Amino acid sequence: MADVDVDVGEGNEPTLDVDLLSDDEDEEEEEEHEITEVDDDTPEYDENLPPEDQLMDFSYAAIKIIRCDFLGEFGAAEKCLIDGDALVAKALSESHLDWSAGGQSLPIVHTFEKILHDLSIRGANFSLFFFKSNSCLWKRLAPSAHAMREIIIQHLLVVNKLQQIQSKPPAVELFMLEGAWWGDKQDWNDMIDHASPAYIMTDFGWKGIQDRVVLAITRGFVHFVHGSHHQVVTLADFEVEGSRTMSNNMQPPRLPYSREKISKALTKLIAKESEALKAVSTSDQDIGAIEIVEQSLRDTLAIAALKAAAKKEVGGDQTKDMIVTFCLTLAMCKYSSLKERSLSFSSDMIEKWRSESDGWGTTANSFLEAMFRTIACCLEDPQTAGKTGKLLAAVSKESDNRLADIVDGRMFHALLARTMAEGNLKLNANVSSYAQKLIDLIYPGGQIQCGKMVSSVSGQAANASKEFILAMVAAVSARSQSCSNTLLPLDGKHLVNIVQGDLASVMSDLENKNFDHSKHVLGKFRDRRYKDVEPLGDEPDPYTYRTSEEEIVIKKVNKWNNAARQAQLSARFSSGYIDSLLLGTPLKRQVIAQPLTSEEFERRKTTAKERLVKDAEMERRMAKTGKDPSEKADSAKPGKEKKEKKGGKGQQSSGKAEAIKAEAEKKRLEKVEANKRANLDHVIKHAPKDLKTDNEALLKHLEELRVCAQQCINDSAPSIAIEAEMTALGHVLEAIKRDKKEDLLVKRHIKNAFVILQRILVTCRSNVTGEKADDLVEAAISLGFDDLAKAIEDIGKGDGEGGGDGKEKKDKKDKKDKKDKKKDKDDDDKKSSKLPKKLVQLPEQSAIRYQVAVAPEHLRRPAGVEGDERVPFKPDDWQRKLLDIIDSGNSALVVAPTASGKTFIAYYVMEMCLRANDTDVVVYVAPTSALVDQVYHEIQARFTKRYNGDMHLTGIFNTSYRKEHLKCQILVAEPECLEIMLLDPANSEWAKGIRHIIFDEVHSVGMVGGEIWERMLLYTSAPFIGLSATLGDIGRFRDWLSDVEKKRGRELHFVHHNERYNDLAPFIWTNREKLEDQIVMLHPLWAINRLLTESKRFEFPSDMKLLPEHCAQLYDAMAKADDSKELKDLSPQKYFQKLSDPCFNISMRDARGWELELKKYFCSMTYTTQKKVLQDIIQATENACSHIETQLTNKSESNYLTESILPMARSLQKADMLPCIVFHMIRDNCVRFATALESQLRKEEEQAHLADGHAEKVAKQEKKVESLMKQLEKEGWSKDKDSSEEMTDEQKELMQDLGLAEAKLAKLKAVDPRFALIPPGQVQVTPDEVDEMVATGFRRKYFNPKDPLHLALLRGIGVHHAGLSKKYRRAVERLFRMKRLAIVVSTETLAMGINMPTKTSVFAGDSLFLNAMTFRQMAGRSGRRGFDLRGNVVFMGLRREKIQRLLNSELPCLSGNMLLTATYVLRMLVKHASIRTIQEAEIIAQRKKGEGFIDQVEDQVKVLLDEWRSTKSITVSEEEQNRLAKMSDKERAAYIEQQKNSALTHINSRDLVRALLETPESKLDGILQSLVDDRSPKQKQLKESALETLRFASAAAKKLQELMVAAEKSQAADVERARVDAVRNHNAEAVARMVNMPLFSPNGALMAKQYAFAFRFAAEYLQLEGLLDSSASPRDVACIMAGLFNAEPANFAVVNFLRSRLVEEICKRYIENSDGSQEPLPDKTEQSVLEQLVAVFCHLFSVVKIPQWHVDYLTQNPAKKGPCQVIMDPLQPKVAEVMEEHTRCAIASAIEYWKIFVSKHEKELGEDNQLPLSGLRWQGGEAGEHVALADISFDVKLRSRFVAMAGRGETVEDVGSVSELCSTTRQGLFMDSRFIPAFELKQPINSYVLDYWRAPNYTNLLKYNKVSENHAWSLLKHFAISVKATFKSLERRNKFAPYKRGIHGEGRHLETVFSDPQVQTAFNSLQLDFCSKFNKISKEQDT
């Protein structure tokens, strides 16, 4: 259902107490996939209850149910294990199967395979498993069910054996597990180890099974799976919706208490039921040895079973007849086609024959039951079946392997009845011969002949059989009488014609040219009376509506709430939020003042195209040579950037000019150096006082010095830069001396010192001379880096490897000579380079190894070497290519990791648009409201531009609010909102002005709601940019987009940059004591260690990257196990020695080369050595995981995380890994963790303060403040004193002392920094700052000292999820960006592109929705380019399997979506029909005006006619009235003149008015006078009024004719028509592109044709339903359906409910009498009416299904419902009949239409005779005719022949539902329920909406209805808005059809329900009442 996925926002109703910022932007947004869960309910454990009841109690309380797209959430590539037994049970329970005739094996096997095939074509990676011991459970069920299970198992084994023979992979991986899950689990454990599944598909009780023991045991299996820490997805609830796979995920219990009690109950259950299982575990069947028959596995098994049946005489006296018929059935199945096996009899017919056949029918049924039992017994015998049985051994290419077709009960009964009826069957020779062979194997000697009865048949039985056969023949005849396979004529259907494309000519032949729309009769419950269509732009979209009024009423205006004040505060708040978005970046706001000229744009375009062509050629050449095109960029040496060429005429200037320029440059540099020296002196002078004692202060000062040095380098002042760096180095060396006993601090200091040395040598290399070089050498030696010291010494001397080439030496010498001329200045420089006199000597270590093993984050990055005029930085090669793509006017798909710098191109596109003109538009599309809001503000932070007129820089349109979306140059929107704008015909001109569309997070195509993204990619005509960091299946998606762009006449460029600028380092956190044991480095090899096997050579996954420190660890482990010279050459000291400056300048690319060499060497090692190396590497991680899993076993996950959150934060703080974002998917727990952090820190603070007498210090300081206040008062000062009066000296001194005292007191009362988590170099947040972040403007402060979340901010802790108020979330975002918060606990609201740079991403706890996609998105928040050099990913509280899966899992493939729905077709048609010329619009308006006059005249004339006929007692002839109606208006006018009395006697009032308009005005009075009684003044007045209105109508008609003539002849009209035709063609081409180029193509190229045909089907069906007129233009009621598109398919149900008039019956509370009085109806109150309406809409909007086991449990335990109903009652019978009738009509139309498609594409579809998964074939269509079957079998075109075998044809009666029809179509045809415009009622469903409406208690709804908080809120919001939108549609239409008493005029184009005041009153009351109740929750969201 779309209602679950709709992002409806979290708006708050504005009230007096609400911040005025809520006017627009304070609407709350909702995030996808965010699930709120709480710990388990814990029922009391009753020892006296049976164990199965105990299990159900805990299951209902502890297992959470989440409906999800499981392939999307887990990932299609992830392994899934499917419980084969549960799948068999699901297949057996499918509604389209027939069990009335004993059962059929082939349709069941087909159903089984079809389910697996549905998973397979959607990319699922699955294996099947069967527990052999489950056979004892099946024996408790019907023999047919047991046998089918064994048949399916053997069928799968046979198919896999055949695949093996043909050297193909198995059709499906199959595990046959010995024992039982409750017994020996070794096989189970081996399978789990082998498959490593992400989830297991089974059922909580097999579907359709009622046996108590089987249900208990199979439910217990789910708990067993949960106990092994695996997720469960239910098979019973599995449904396919387009490309999505929907089912219920059963979450395991969270509390150890629940797990313990469940385990205990499970043990008791197994003990209790073990005897019952043993009682049926043995078999009394005696099956002898079997022999292979005719190389047929089926017949071999059948003959063995028949021999056993013959031996036992299971059919009594009729055994031989049964066996002969069964043999004949086998032969007939072998030689007849599937078409001939589709026998036409129903269950009623077979039951009737069985009851009248004198016992033959009963015997036949018993015989088949015995056969099934025997077959099951045979297949359980390992000598016969299984992996070692004779059947499997007989499989070969030549053998008949179709074991699945062993039993066909329908064929058996039909042949038996026919033999009984005719005595001697006419059989095909092949059939007769083969059947006889089989009979002879059982009854040797030829005594019995096939086709003849052995026993005598009574007359009654023979007659019953004849009647049965005749009934089948009649049924076949009835099936053949279907509707005519013709289409409606396409006159005027411009859009449909273009969409059809090549199919148009084919379909034209099938059109019924004689179809008359005017005579078409609508179906039951439908009415054709509507107004003409209004443009869709006139129809509000669903996001227009709010659950509360938008206006804020303020009773009293004062300085706090006046409009000007609020606007000022809003601007200040927005400004602060905007400014925070650019914190930490070098970006500045650009003022767009000077536009670029068209010539400049053209120059850039030409240059870009040339460069792209050149780059493409270069890439082709490099592909041949194998060289990396980016090597050039990384080859530049440090500190030697390419000098920009100085072009221009100045190059030719004279020597004098050069000297003048040099002198000027010299003065400039001197001035710069002086300025930079002053800055440095300022930084040094204002260094923190506690610099030498406080490490935080030291880090802050080091950062200040680094920034100062960097500014000096940027401004060409390296001599000042080196001084700043050496000052910093001196501070660090002093710190090493000070903290030499603190190992952790010393290591951190050493890294800081090494990094400073690196920076000096890279950026200030030319200044490393003299004493500076000596000092640096000494520092390096003291740090233990002797090799680095040697390199520095060489640099200082100007020679050696570190010194570079000869040219570099010459340059250095020249620089040295220049410096020698300034000796005095140099001496001053040397004196300023102060290092400690005595340094601590540290152990020796290699600088080369240190770079890669300890400080890898500081390795040199590849960077652009040349600037570009288009951007203010040096772009990388791939970024430059992106600029060229944009300038060339083409589209681009950009795939690059998070934080790699890909988003810059979006802002370049915006800048170019702003510089081009004031009208072009760029649209930025983002997936969530939060991201849309942030980008909207960030654009304002980056750009500013002034406009003339009503135009704005930016606009926003999301599902929560919209602002200036049609009057801006840069629009930021959600995809569904952009779709609304593009489909609005009023925006056609706006859409033409779109310059570019930017699709951020374009991988959302594969997520929920992805169909909107896909439609927009196809529909839009503007160039686009698709940006993604997590795009799976790149090749297929890129090729599809490339084809789309070629269709538009453009080229798609693909830019793939696969390296992060900053690496991500993974860690595991444990709550062990020592810090080094808490944060454990996670080596990537640990995640893939299972890939190492002895049988297969180990290969690293292509996308696995080892960081430099991982490589160092890998080398160390390999060195322990291997001492070869080749490996020693790979030591970092040797490998990197060949590089230039290896001691301080290794690049990331160099490290990457080392990584590849190490991987190559590891893969070449022996398995034993590899295993030894791996064990060494992964041991620490394994120990950490074991510790975590022990903790999680003993505690619930939430308790473990709550207890561990503070220790984890402390660990990160000590490891310098803050700030961090802690990601957790449960809202309540996010708040819980943050408040626990705050509480624990506060308690520590209280204990510390208690120990050091803090309270006394506060009291003492308060007394001091009080004393100073008293002294001031004695001196004559008071608070109320006039501030302008001058203070005395004594007062000034006291005031200064008071200020210092108050500041000290405030500091004492503030949060102690020791007990706050504050990022390095920052101070804690204050309450005033929190108020400033929110800027409410009210006297009441926002900061609430009683709110734990507000208090947490003061300690550096924030929370972020969509349920929190927007003000708080924005405050958290700003504070975090300002580095004032150290920890933010968040759901995935911060994952999708939100600008929240962090150093570390922590994954706390597991969740279903923590998958590969969200993991990469969340992890990408850390290590952002420009903010940090390294990102950290920390796993906390996750089991090892989940961590490994996250690290190894592939991104989900973008399989595409089902784009076409009936509502979308309707929206397309509405838009197309609404694109009109100005003249057409005027004509329509004039026509409506004339119709209005005609309506008025009709009302008046109808009164006159009725009264005249009543007076004269005239009876109207319907036949004569119809004859008059068929005349034209002129013919009717002439007839009235000739036969006035006769015409007036019978004519319809509407026809009379139309005729009067064609009558000369002079004759009108006479005609109307005939109807007037001269004695009635009222009638006379009516006549005069009618005559006057007729004159107006005539004038309007004349004006209409003039307009039409002018439109035909006017030149301006021709120009306008050409313009509109171009717009229509453009729109039609866009729609055709969307229809004909689907990404989701499960049946290949045929899918596009199916889409085109589905488009036509939807259009014609809507036309047949009266929703479209004869030219496919929408009728008015269709706009309601289009307006409720987000509720599809419920919108169909709403419209049909309204059209049925039942809504009037429900809403009717009184009868209106003719005198205007109202007579109340009994038992009808306002409350009862509203409850009936709510009950109806509960079945339509926001539907949530309930698992059947919940229904069963609540039925037995009604007390568990609490005060709620929980389970919704069925819909009222009358309303249900309306819905069901519409569904039947839709199904009937779909069948007839799609049969046409099949008939025209039979060759492309292929033969329908193949099983979907295994591929085994049967005879298909017209193979051999068999007289015995010819007249009783039917043919199908649309449905699968395997399904038709079960008697399911293609009539509405044969199809149970839309989903059944779609899942049972023939091979090659893909049908989806979205193709069929129908709404099906679902049962059972949750009554949460009704329960909440009855008693709006949100807590009860969550507790008893068991809907998660996030989903409950959004679903209630969607329900409220849908009801409101429905009411608003009715209200709008009342303007066109005002209510009038009595009966409407005959033929009036009005719909009564739109104008009935009782309906309007009821709907208005409903929407107001429900919205007010819902807003109670909304108000709580912002408290």
Side-chain angles (χ1 to χ4, degrees), residues 36 275 283 481 737 746 1036 1052 1391 1532 1813 1837 1900:
T36 295
E275 293 301 321
S283 173
Q481 297 174 2
K737 287 175 60 178
V746 169
R1036 181 168 176 266
L1052 176 79
R1532 200 180 301 115
L1813 189 71
K1837 289 185 177 180
N1900 283 347

Side-chain angles (χ1 to χ4, degrees), residues 1274-1313:
K1274 287 181 181 179
E1275 293 291 335
W1277 177 88
S1278 67
K1279 293 181 180 180
D1280 300 329
K1281 193 173 183 180
D1282 187 1
S1283 59
S1284 63
E1285 185 176 339
E1286 187 176 353
M1287 299 176 68
T1288 65
D1289 293 341
E1290 290 80 2
Q1291 288 176 341
K1292 289 180 180 179
E1293 184 177 352
L1294 286 171
M1295 281 296 292
Q1296 185 176 1
D1297 293 342
L1298 178 62
L1300 294 173
E1302 286 180 334
K1304 185 174 181 180
L1305 178 61
K1307 186 175 181 180
L1308 287 171
K1309 288 186 175 182
V1311 172
D1312 192 330

Side-chain angles (χ1 to χ4, degrees), residues 930-991:
L931 186 53
V932 165
D933 184 67
Q934 180 188 280
V935 173
Y936 169 69
H937 286 95
E938 188 165 347
I939 293 167
Q940 296 177 52
R942 286 174 178 260
F943 303 109
T944 180
K945 182 178 178 180
R946 291 196 175 190
Y947 293 92
N948 294 322
D950 191 16
M951 196 68 178
H952 302 268
L953 175 73
T954 55
I956 186 171
F957 188 2
N958 61 25
T959 54
S960 299
Y961 68 98
R962 67 195 75 185
K963 184 177 181 181
E964 312 297 351
H965 58 294
L966 288 172
K967 300 177 181 179
C968 64
Q969 275 202 272
I970 305 175
L971 172 65
V972 191
E974 289 187 76
E976 50 266 57
C977 300
L978 174 62
E979 185 177 49
I980 288 170
M981 295 184 70
L982 291 178
L983 296 190
D984 189 341
N987 297 336
S988 297
E989 290 299 320
W990 173 86

Side-chain angles (χ1 to χ4, degrees), residues 1193-1207:
T1193 302
N1194 299 328
K1195 303 175 184 177
S1196 72
E1197 180 187 280
S1198 58
N1199 287 340
Y1200 169 78
L1201 295 175
T1202 304
E1203 294 172 4
S1204 304
I1205 191 75
L1206 180 57

Side-chain angles (χ1 to χ4, degrees), residues 268-522:
K268 291 172 65 177
L269 174 68
I270 298 304
K272 175 185 176 183
E273 304 298 351
S274 60
E275 293 301 321
L277 297 177
K278 289 178 183 178
V280 294
S281 63
T282 58
S283 173
D284 59 351
Q285 297 285 342
D286 181 18
I287 307 298
I290 68 168
E291 299 295 336
I292 303 301
V293 177
E294 297 289 328
Q295 287 190 312
S296 171
L297 306 185
R298 179 199 66 164
D299 296 345
T300 298
L301 181 60
I303 291 301
L306 288 170
K307 286 181 177 179
K311 184 176 180 181
K312 286 192 169 187
E313 294 189 352
V314 294
D317 295 340
Q318 300 156 348
T319 300
K320 291 182 179 179
D321 288 294
M322 298 298 156
I323 291 176
V324 169
T325 305
F326 198 92
C327 290
L328 180 57
T329 302
L330 292 173
M332 194 68 79
C333 290
K334 179 179 177 68
Y335 288 104
S336 60
S337 66
L338 291 179
K339 172 188 173 182
E340 293 168 313
R341 295 176 62 180
S342 303
L343 305 178
S344 183
F345 64 84
S346 63
S347 57
D348 292 338
M349 293 164 63
I350 193 70
E351 287 298 329
K352 183 175 184 295
W353 174 74
R354 189 173 288 136
S355 63
E356 298 175 356
S357 61
D358 199 14
W360 280 89
T362 305
T363 302
N365 207 48
S366 301
F367 176 79
L368 286 177
E369 185 175 321
M371 282 295 294
F372 273 122
R373 187 180 293 109
T374 308
I375 290 170
C377 183
C378 289
L379 291 175
E380 282 186 328
D381 186 350
Q383 294 183 357
T384 303
K387 294 184 178 180
T388 60
K390 290 185 177 180
L391 289 177
L392 203 60
V395 174
S396 67
K397 292 182 180 180
E398 294 76 25
S399 61
D400 185 350
N401 303 305
R402 296 175 296 183
L403 180 66
D405 199 11
I406 189 170
V407 179
D408 188 342
R410 291 177 63 86
M411 176 78 78
F412 175 81
H413 278 81
L415 291 176
L416 178 62
R418 188 137 218 169
T419 308
M420 292 170 61
E422 300 177 3
N424 190 3
L425 285 182
K426 296 179 181 179
L427 300 174
N428 181 286
N430 290 333
V431 172
S432 177
S433 173
Y434 192 78
Q436 194 63 50
K437 284 183 182 180
L438 298 179
I439 295 170
D440 291 345
L441 289 174
I442 304 167
Y443 298 109
Q447 301 175 2
I448 301 177
Q449 296 183 5
C450 69
K452 294 183 179 181
M453 296 298 298
V454 177
S455 306
S456 59
V457 179
S458 66
Q460 178 183 344
N463 291 333
S465 300
K466 290 177 182 178
E467 291 179 6
F468 183 34
I469 298 299
L470 289 174
M472 283 193 276
V473 173
V476 171
S477 176
R479 289 180 187 275
S480 63
Q481 297 174 2
S482 60
C483 300
S484 58
N485 290 337
T486 56
L487 306 177
L488 301 187
L490 273 182
D491 299 334
K493 300 179 184 176
H494 174 252
L495 178 61
V496 182
N497 270 320
I498 292 182
V499 168
Q500 278 188 142
D502 296 338
L503 291 175
S505 59
V506 177
M507 296 302 161
S508 177
D509 298 336
L510 298 172
E511 293 176 6
N512 180 7
K513 307 297 183 183
N514 298 320
F515 184 86
D516 188 350
H517 287 276
S518 63
K519 296 180 180 179
H520 170 60
V521 179
L522 294 175

Side-chain angles (χ1 to χ4, degrees), residues 520-524 526-528 530 1663-1666 1699:
H520 170 60
V521 179
L522 294 175
K524 188 178 179 183
R526 257 78 96 204
D527 199 319
R528 65 162 63 251
Y530 316 108
Q1663 193 172 338
L1664 289 171
E1665 285 289 288
R1699 297 169 75 188

